[in-house]
Amino acid sequence: MSFRTLDLNLLRVFDQVMAEQNLTRAAERLAMTQPAVSNALKRLREALGDDLVVRTAFGVKPTPRAEALWPDVRSALARLREAIDPTVFDPETSEASFRLAMADATAATLMPPLVADIEQQRALVNVRVLPLTTRDPRMLLEHGEVDFAIGYFPDAVAALSSQGVNATLHHERLWDDEYVCVMRKGHPLAEGELTLDAFCTAHHLLVSFSGRAHGFVDQALAALNRTRRIVLTVNQFFTAGRVVTHSDLLTVLPRQFVPATGMARELAIQPLPLALQGVHVEVLWHQRHDRDPAHRWMREHVFAAAARRPQTLLASAS
């Protein structure tokens, strides 16, 4: 491959295909036909000597070479856009696409006011909420798999804070919360004081994005030389609410997320009988997007939505 003869427009097509992982949607975003997108990918494959993407039942899947290349391509294109057109982002004419990784309860809390803002401004932007599968989303952001990660990421935030100005990721706190013990109403432990002995003797449900049957509560219990019996591990707060409502399992959730289970009226909340660090919900993004007008626009609306998240949810969680 000779860079001097490479058609740089092919990189724009590659960037959009990687973002959408679907040729039809990428063609729509680029205002091209699908055959034209396929032809552009073919030319780029020939230039790079790699398949770049392979077809699947649901779209296309990037090759390892494509995944390694995409962050640099996306960053370079963003810098070029900013240099050529540094104007203020116009949401009514731009069809920018944003990928937000977050848990189901975070989305239920944040998305209603965010969508209301987008609709009020008649914005043409497209927002996709992706499932969060890790407590440390740094690699997702570094590899350009998502534009924002929103949630409680204590290890990632601590690492970024220690790096200071050398950090390649930025973060901003959206709100604070606390962990509580949640069970069905009428549960034997729903009334009176919940003791540590009773908590450890009971059977538990754990919400774990990674699937590991060990979490913050278990770390805190280990420091006290105590353990608990985890019967079930799930990866959604909504699922946790449904299961706990119809069983004698206990679970530990952020207080403000209880309404997002959809079962708040059927659940009882007890203070935890052990000390846990508070929950700090943060938004993380890569510095390659920091000065991009579209990305700044979305960040501002994420901040505003966090400040305006439904007060009815907060009241019912109190």
Side-chain angles (χ1 to χ4, degrees):
M1 182 194 72
S2 172
F3 184 78
R4 291 184 296 106
T5 60
L6 178 66
D7 182 355
L8 297 184
N9 283 318
L10 302 181
L11 298 180
R12 292 181 59 249
V13 174
F14 170 71
D15 174 60
Q16 202 61 244
V17 169
M18 289 294 290
E20 298 295 338
Q21 297 201 11
N22 182 285
L23 297 186
T24 301
R25 289 199 300 267
E28 291 173 354
R29 295 291 179 197
L30 292 163
M32 298 171 62
T33 64
Q34 184 173 331
V37 169
S38 297
N39 182 60
L41 274 180
K42 178 183 177 182
R43 292 170 58 198
L44 190 59
R45 286 188 180 112
E46 293 172 350
L48 298 179
D50 187 89
D51 286 340
L52 297 178
V53 295
V54 293
R55 291 185 180 272
T56 70
F58 304 101
V60 295
K61 179 181 178 181
T63 65
R65 167 71 168 142
E67 289 180 341
L69 180 64
W70 188 36
D72 290 334
V73 169
R74 170 152 278 214
S75 178
L77 289 174
R79 289 197 298 270
L80 283 172
R81 278 194 298 268
E82 184 178 350
I84 294 170
D85 185 16
T87 58
V88 175
F89 174 69
D90 183 0
E92 292 190 27
T93 59
S94 173
E95 297 184 4
S97 180
F98 302 98
R99 296 154 303 157
L100 284 62
M102 65 183 88
D104 60 320
T106 311
T109 302
L110 188 65
M111 293 313 296
L114 181 58
V115 169
D117 283 351
I118 291 172
E119 292 289 275
Q120 185 178 17
Q121 291 203 11
R122 299 181 180 178
L124 294 181
V125 301
N126 174 266
V127 179
R128 285 190 287 156
V129 176
L130 304 179
L132 193 61
T133 58
T134 176
R135 282 288 186 187
D136 189 344
R138 283 177 289 176
M139 295 305 294
L140 295 176
L141 293 160
E142 290 283 0
H143 291 166
E145 297 179 38
V146 299
D147 300 302
F148 297 93
I150 301 173
Y152 178 42
F153 312 121
D155 293 340
V157 170
L160 295 175
S161 298
S162 66
Q163 293 170 14
V165 295
N166 295 319
T168 58
L169 302 178
H170 299 287
H171 63 95
E172 187 85 22
R173 185 166 300 182
L174 296 179
W175 69 80
D176 295 318
D177 203 350
E178 64 174 346
Y179 281 116
V180 292
C181 185
V182 180
M183 64 201 76
R184 66 172 177 83
K185 285 188 175 179
H187 191 288
L189 299 178
E191 300 293 335
E193 180 184 0
L194 177 61
T195 65
L196 183 60
D197 286 340
F199 180 83
C200 292
T201 302
H203 288 183
H204 293 255
L205 178 153
L206 170 66
V207 180
S208 171
F209 302 139
S210 66
R212 291 178 61 242
H214 191 272
F216 300 125
V217 173
D218 304 286
Q219 294 173 7
L221 287 173
L224 301 174
N225 293 318
R226 305 294 293 266
T227 60
R228 62 174 176 163
R229 164 84 167 102
I230 296 176
V231 175
L232 176 65
T233 302
V234 301
N235 65 354
Q236 290 187 331
F237 291 100
F238 176 78
T239 303
R242 294 285 295 184
V243 173
V244 169
T245 299
H246 296 92
S247 71
D248 279 340
L249 298 183
L250 308 185
T251 192
V252 176
L253 303 177
R255 180 183 289 273
Q256 294 182 28
F257 283 178
V258 174
T261 65
M263 300 288 152
R265 294 182 179 180
E266 302 176 49
L267 296 172
I269 295 176
Q270 284 274 43
L272 283 172
L274 70 161
L276 279 187
Q277 184 178 359
V279 182
H280 309 300
V281 178
E282 310 251 354
V283 55
L284 277 64
W285 68 94
H286 200 280
Q287 69 175 10
R288 73 172 71 95
H289 301 303
D290 199 46
R291 298 174 59 190
D292 178 74
H295 204 277
R296 284 203 305 265
W297 180 88
M298 179 53 70
R299 286 202 304 271
E300 291 170 359
H301 283 275
V302 168
F303 299 150
R308 293 176 46 244
R309 61 196 190 280
Q311 296 302 309
T312 53
L313 290 184
L314 304 189
S316 62
S318 301

